[in-house]
Amino acid sequence: MIPDRKAPLDPVRTAILVIDTQNGIFNAQAEATRPYFYRSARDVAIPNIVRLLAAGRAAGAEIVYTVIASLTRDGRDRSLDYKQTGFHFAPGSPETHVIAELAPGPDDMVLPKTSSSLFNSTNFEYLVRNIGLDTIVVTGFLTDQCIDHTVRDGADRGFRMVCPVDACTTDTPERHAHALSAFKGYCRQASTDELLRELAAPRRRSDG
């Protein structure tokens, strides 16, 4: 039987994934150089992620973070794309830390990655399959880059992908809207409020 893409979330089968919400991306410099991104993250995406995390933890969903972070100080392990663009945060540097508003809990997983899709540079798939999860709620930065790639890759790997459209953002409203339109065929798109209602009414897990 093919699962219904629009079926309500079952928290015990769900991971809430928070992508690249780190000091190296969201910071005071971004307020000046990327004003729409900064404002939309501060006023919309981050508050909605906070709400999703609280509801997810209360309902028993798994919480997983990614941060862009090389494994080597000189970044020699980075993807070719990251090398060509000069995108590098040294391991353990302040830029790799999740922002305080979204601080991980003591038992949350934080995975360093060096590619747009975490499926390509982390063991995320291995971990969530070990836990028995099949639904991934994708939040964070940026809608038309890492969110897009992760949604598509997850769908191809057989996960039910869900994107809360107001819990992610990018550099312009046009880019955000275009990305959502481009990858809508790979996921369920919903509002944060809609997902909060589902997380507040958890269903029993059924393996049958």
Side-chain angles (χ1 to χ4, degrees), residues 9-15 60-62 128 131-136 159-160 203-208:
L9 296 180
D10 181 353
V12 298
R13 301 183 73 93
T14 297
E62 193 73 35
V128 295
I131 297 168
L133 310 180
D134 58 19
T135 301
I136 313 298
F159 292 101
R160 187 166 76 110
R203 299 175 297 161
R204 286 190 175 275
R205 179 170 182 167
S206 174
D207 292 318

Side-chain angles (χ1 to χ4, degrees), residues 5-9 51-52 162-166 188-201:
R5 175 175 284 171
K6 295 184 179 181
L9 296 180
R51 298 164 67 211
L52 282 167
V162 180
C163 179
V165 298
D166 50 1
R188 172 191 172 195
Q189 295 185 357
S191 68
T192 294
D193 284 343
E194 184 177 353
L195 299 182
L196 291 176
R197 289 191 294 271
E198 296 172 13
L199 289 167

Side-chain angles (χ1 to χ4, degrees), residues 78-140:
R78 289 172 294 165
S79 65
L80 176 61
D81 176 61
Y82 278 22
K83 288 175 180 175
Q84 290 175 330
T85 57
F87 210 22
H88 169 56
F89 298 126
S93 63
E95 291 83 4
T96 67
H97 297 167
V98 176
I99 60 174
E101 297 94 323
L102 301 173
D107 201 35
D108 295 336
M109 290 181 282
V110 181
L111 306 177
K113 73 178 180 69
T114 53
S115 60
S116 290
S117 168
L118 82 165
F119 286 101
N120 295 320
S121 59
T122 79
N123 63 344
F124 174 76
E125 181 175 4
Y126 170 82
L127 296 171
V128 295
R129 291 201 190 279
N130 284 351
I131 297 168
L133 310 180
D134 58 19
T135 301
I136 313 298
V137 178
V138 186
T139 73

Side-chain angles (χ1 to χ4, degrees), residues 64-78:
V64 183
Y65 295 79
T66 68
V67 293
I68 297 170
S70 300
L71 299 178
T72 56
R73 292 191 179 278
D74 64 1
R76 61 187 180 277
D77 61 292
R78 289 172 294 165

